Amino acid sequence: MGAMLSLPVVGYLLMPSLTSYSTSINILFFYMTWSTLVLSQPPLKVEVVGTLAIRALFFLVPSLLFLLFDSIIPSLAVGMKTQGSAALPTRTGGVRVKKRGSGAPSVLQVIGLSLVNIFLGVAIQSAVELLFTEVLHIRSALKVSTTLPMPWSIFKDVVRGLLLREVLQYYIHRFILHPDSSTYISKLHKTYFHSITSPYSFTAHYDHPLSYILFRFLPTYLPSIVFRTHLLTYLLLLSVITLEETLTMSGYATVPGIMLGGIARRQDLHSEGHGRGNFAPWGLMDWVHGTSIGGDVMEDIGDEAEKHQVKERSGKAWGNAKESGKEGIKAWNGRRKSSRK
């Protein structure tokens, strides 16, 4: 626990940048903390603790808060859910209801298997690292060094990781977990994940371990080890993906962010429709292949932009900028005329 609390990645992600001076101090402090951690702890321990910390911070804690909110104030939560009372994980109006079919798992079963899957993913990470370093005697799968990755490198690796995850998840989800003919793996995915038609945050990691590894773990982890990204970059990518999955599987009708709102609707329709479409989170691959249901990604972006009044805000900002420019020119002309006199 001490190692988890001392992990500097949290400060790295939330590092303030009010002034160049404070930013320089924070970067120096972060570098010293990270270097101390890497030099004093085994690389595998840093990777494992970092991964667990990200999962706890961006999945476990928010999911528990959402679950408490849905359970304690169901009358308020039901109005915020896309599927209404059916999307409440435990009860509706103070009365427990039976939903999601006769084989629907309980909330405790969902939480338990979700945690098992997360620990299984971490175990596979550890096994890969041990295979590379202890058995094959080659460099580690992820780069763990005192050298910090540069901002452009971080941006490039994160964007590349998200795009490759979109592609991998689409083809795995569509052709392995939802093939035209039923298979052993597709039956497992249907029996577990699709036993819940009204998702809530904990269902993001609820699935049979085999289909979970194929659909959730590999598309996130595989691109990072293929390109051997820095551990900090991988943890940042994992943070983005984990938070996205937690929010978009929450079942709430309103999710902050233009992209996240569309992802949440598509994920909800995928669960409600038992996997008829929307196989990838962003919807880009579904748009390309024509497998979107309930509107494609382009329509979602347009709807969300209109909802958040992007055009109006940008117009006001442009108008304010023009007015400020006019006032500045008038003031400059006035000073020039007075200096001539």
Side-chain angles (χ1 to χ4, degrees):
M1 179 61 71
M4 182 180 292
L5 294 176
S6 65
L7 188 74
V9 70
V10 176
Y12 188 61
L13 297 176
L14 305 178
M15 188 167 49
S17 56
L18 298 177
T19 66
S20 59
Y21 177 76
S22 62
T23 301
S24 301
I25 294 297
N26 281 318
I27 293 176
L28 178 61
F29 175 76
F30 174 79
Y31 174 75
M32 293 173 60
T33 308
W34 173 254
S35 300
T36 303
L37 183 64
V38 171
L39 294 174
S40 62
Q41 302 291 337
L44 180 58
K45 182 178 180 180
V46 176
E47 180 179 340
V48 169
V49 172
T51 302
L52 290 176
I54 294 300
R55 292 299 197 186
L57 184 62
F58 295 108
F59 168 68
L60 183 58
V61 173
S63 297
L64 286 173
L65 292 177
F66 292 153
L67 182 61
L68 286 175
F69 175 73
D70 293 343
S71 303
I72 295 175
I73 320 177
S75 58
L76 179 60
V78 70
M80 303 172 63
K81 293 285 187 174
T82 302
Q83 297 186 38
S85 60
L88 293 177
T90 55
R91 60 182 185 173
T92 302
V95 179
R96 294 188 177 275
V97 295
K98 193 174 184 63
K99 56 183 183 301
R100 305 182 180 94
S102 58
S106 67
V107 174
L108 291 179
Q109 288 177 314
V110 173
I111 296 175
L113 186 54
S114 297
L115 295 178
V116 167
N117 285 332
I118 288 175
F119 283 115
L120 176 61
V122 175
I124 294 176
Q125 276 185 242
S126 303
V128 170
E129 290 291 354
L130 291 175
L131 174 65
F132 277 37
T133 57
E134 301 297 329
V135 178
L136 301 178
H137 299 288
I138 58 178
R139 62 186 185 179
S140 59
L142 294 173
K143 187 185 301 181
V144 184
S145 65
T146 57
T147 304
L148 298 180
M150 299 301 291
W152 169 247
S153 175
I154 295 175
F155 175 79
K156 179 186 64 176
D157 289 339
V158 168
V159 171
R160 180 174 57 193
L162 291 173
L163 290 176
L164 288 175
R165 166 187 173 246
E166 172 81 2
V167 174
L168 289 172
Q169 280 199 330
Y170 179 84
Y171 290 116
I172 291 172
H173 203 179
R174 182 181 179 184
F175 296 108
I176 297 180
L177 301 183
H178 290 284
D180 295 333
S181 301
S182 181
T183 63
Y184 175 71
I185 297 179
S186 66
K187 288 179 181 178
L188 293 177
H189 181 64
K190 181 179 179 180
T191 301
Y192 284 82
F193 182 80
H194 282 290
S195 65
I196 301 174
T197 57
S198 303
Y200 51 98
S201 291
F202 275 109
T203 60
H205 294 272
Y206 177 77
D207 206 341
H208 187 276
L210 179 57
S211 50
Y212 173 82
I213 293 301
L214 287 174
F215 179 58
R216 295 289 185 190
F217 175 74
L218 284 181
T220 300
Y221 182 62
L222 191 58
S224 295
I225 64 172
V226 167
F227 294 100
R228 198 171 182 259
T229 60
H230 196 284
L231 176 58
L232 285 174
T233 305
Y234 172 73
L235 293 179
L236 178 58
L237 174 65
L238 186 66
S239 301
V240 173
I241 292 175
T242 303
L243 186 60
E244 173 211 292
E245 292 172 340
T246 302
L247 293 176
T248 57
M249 293 295 291
S250 63
Y252 292 113
T254 302
V255 177
I258 293 177
M259 290 297 296
L260 289 181
I263 295 173
R265 282 196 296 272
R266 286 189 295 274
Q267 293 294 314
D268 197 271
L269 288 170
H270 176 81
S271 296
E272 190 176 11
H274 299 281
R276 291 189 297 108
N278 297 343
F279 298 108
W282 284 16
L284 294 174
M285 295 298 294
D286 289 288
W287 175 61
V288 171
H289 290 279
T291 52
S292 301
I293 55 175
D296 57 37
V297 62
M298 297 305 173
E299 294 175 1
D300 285 335
I301 293 176
D303 292 341
E304 287 296 319
E306 184 177 354
K307 183 188 299 183
H308 289 79
Q309 299 178 340
V310 172
K311 293 181 179 180
E312 289 79 359
R313 291 178 183 177
S314 60
K316 290 179 181 179
W318 175 245
N320 292 335
K322 288 195 295 184
E323 289 298 326
S324 299
K326 290 178 180 178
E327 292 177 2
I329 292 173
K330 289 180 181 178
W332 181 77
N333 289 332
R335 289 195 299 269
R336 190 176 62 174
K337 290 179 181 179
S338 61
S339 63
R340 288 178 178 177
K341 295 179 181 179

